[in-house]
Each structure stands twice: as structure tokens, then as C-alpha cells.
Amino acid sequence: QVQLVESGGGLVQAGGSLTLSCAASGRTFSSYAVAWFRQAPGKEREFVATVNWSGGVKYYVDSVKGRFTISRDNAKNTVYLHMNSVKPEDTAIYYCAAGGLGYTTRASYDYWGQGTQVTVSS
């Protein structure tokens, strides 16, 4: 069993930066892929980025490539999402998720956090 807690959300101006953290409990966390998803009001939850168990393989949705970076520190049981050059369209609740498959679909992940709100003002 893995429990995930997101933090770091808040209000940021367009063009600014924000780092989200996903802290995990559970001994097997380091064996899972971890992803960030986001859900804007009235929209479906969408994939943002994923990192494999070692941190060596990463994948991003096109809309955040070059602006967001996902990383993990298995010694700290934490995954990060570094968000740079944020845009108003990045406004959403951001969720982290852990699972064995590590693909871009929600079904690939077994464990989910409660989410953290990110609001980007123009």
C-alpha cells in the first residue's frame, strides 16, 4: 500500500515558477512509476508527466514540454514537479499517482493523492 500527499500548490503569476511535491509512504514506493495529472474546472483529468522507478525515464505531455520537469528522490520517497514559465491554462488541481505500468493513462496508476490546487493569474 502506498499513500501519497501533494503539496506546494498556490497562486502564481503567469511566467513564474512553482514546485509541487508528492510525498509517499510505503516501502515499495521506489519500485513504482509516478506521474502527475491535472484537472481543470469542467475538464477531464489529464496526464502531465511521468517518471519511472529509477528516475531515468521521463515523459511529458506536449503542452508542458520544455517548461515542466519531473524528478524523484527515492531516498526521500518524494517526487517533484518543477513548473516554469507557467501559463493561465496550467490552472488546475494537480494529482500525483503511483503505479507499476507508468503509462499516460489513469488506469496505469493504482494509488492517488488528494491533489493540490495551482492557480496561475494573468
Side-chain angles (χ1 to χ4, degrees):
Q1 189 77 11
V2 175
Q3 293 184 329
L4 305 172
V5 178
E6 303 95 335
S7 62
L11 177 63
V12 59
Q13 287 189 333
S17 299
L18 202 63
T19 295
L20 306 183
S21 299
C22 173
S25 63
R27 297 180 182 179
T28 59
F29 174 74
S30 61
S31 66
Y32 289 113
V34 177
W36 287 94
F37 286 76
R38 65 186 179 186
Q39 188 166 17
K43 295 189 176 181
E44 294 288 319
R45 191 172 301 188
E46 67 168 352
F47 167 82
V48 176
T50 189
V51 60
N52 77 330
W53 67 274
S54 69
V57 179
K58 304 174 184 180
Y59 185 77
Y60 302 90
V61 68
D62 285 347
S63 60
V64 307
K65 283 181 181 177
R67 300 190 298 121
F68 291 10
T69 302
I70 190 170
S71 64
R72 70 187 297 163
D73 184 339
N74 285 338
K76 295 182 178 180
N77 272 11
T78 303
V79 172
Y80 305 96
L81 185 68
H82 307 279
M83 307 167 62
N84 296 317
S85 303
V86 295
K87 304 175 181 180
E89 50 264 44
D90 294 322
T91 295
I93 299 173
Y94 283 71
Y95 300 89
C96 67
L101 296 181
Y103 297 148
T104 64
T105 60
R106 293 174 60 179
S108 300
Y109 299 91
D110 303 305
Y111 306 102
W112 291 81
Q114 294 301 305
T116 185
Q117 175 71 49
V118 172
T119 303
V120 182
S121 62
S122 57

